[in-house]
Amino acid sequence: GFDLRVYGNYPNPFVDRTIFSYFVQLNDDLDKFEIRIYTISGRRIKTIQADENNPLDALDGGARRKGYNELIWDGTDDDFNEVAYGVYFAVIRATYEGETIERTLKVAKVDDNNSGN
C-alpha cells in the first residue's frame, strides 16, 4: 500500500492562484495523480494533472512523483475561464497499482477588491 498526506493549499482563501502541497509515501511514482475541482453543487470544472508552469516536470513523473510535491491551481476552469468567487471542493486523487486514495479540501476564491465592502 501507500499513503497520501495532503497538507492543504495556500493561500486559502485565494485571489488568483493557490498551491496544493502533498506528500506521496511510496518507494515508486504513482500510476495516476490528479486534483479535481468541483463546485458546491458537485459539477467538476477543472482537472489538474501537471504543473502548468513547468511542462518539463511531467516528463520526470511530475505530480506523480514520490515524496513532497506542489501543484498550482490558477483559478481557471478547464476552458481557461476564471472561476467565480465562492467555495469549491478540491478532490485530490492518487492511484497506485489499482488502489486509490482520495482527500477532499475546501477551497475559497475571493475578490481582491472586497476589503472595503
Side-chain angles (χ1 to χ4, degrees):
F2 71 101
D3 196 18
L4 172 68
R5 268 187 253 145
V6 175
Y7 300 119
N9 63 293
Y10 62 93
N12 189 20
F14 74 99
V15 172
D16 52 3
R17 59 180 231 159
T18 188
I19 300 169
F20 294 93
S21 60
Y22 58 96
F23 188 93
V24 176
Q25 185 92 37
L26 183 64
N27 288 325
D28 194 3
D29 291 347
L30 295 166
D31 295 330
K32 191 170 182 190
F33 180 88
E34 62 183 18
I35 299 174
R36 299 173 174 179
I37 309 289
Y38 293 88
T39 63
I40 286 286
S41 61
R43 188 168 64 90
R44 181 168 20 159
I45 54 164
K46 177 82 168 185
T47 304
I48 306 164
Q49 291 173 313
D51 182 354
E52 288 131 17
N53 291 345
N54 189 3
L56 291 176
D57 195 39
L59 303 174
D60 190 20
R64 297 181 291 107
R65 268 195 306 243
K66 62 186 178 186
Y68 181 80
N69 291 307
E70 293 183 341
L71 257 195
I72 295 169
W73 178 32
D74 61 4
T76 64
D77 62 18
D78 277 332
D79 299 321
F80 306 106
N81 301 310
E82 222 178 287
V83 301
Y85 309 128
V87 175
Y88 295 86
F89 291 108
V91 177
I92 298 158
R93 284 178 62 108
T95 303
Y96 182 71
E97 292 185 345
E99 184 188 348
T100 297
I101 294 177
E102 275 194 2
R103 306 274 185 256
T104 303
L105 296 175
K106 243 183 185 174
V107 182
K109 179 172 161 63
V110 292
D111 183 352
D112 56 350
N113 301 320
N114 69 1
S115 49
N117 300 344

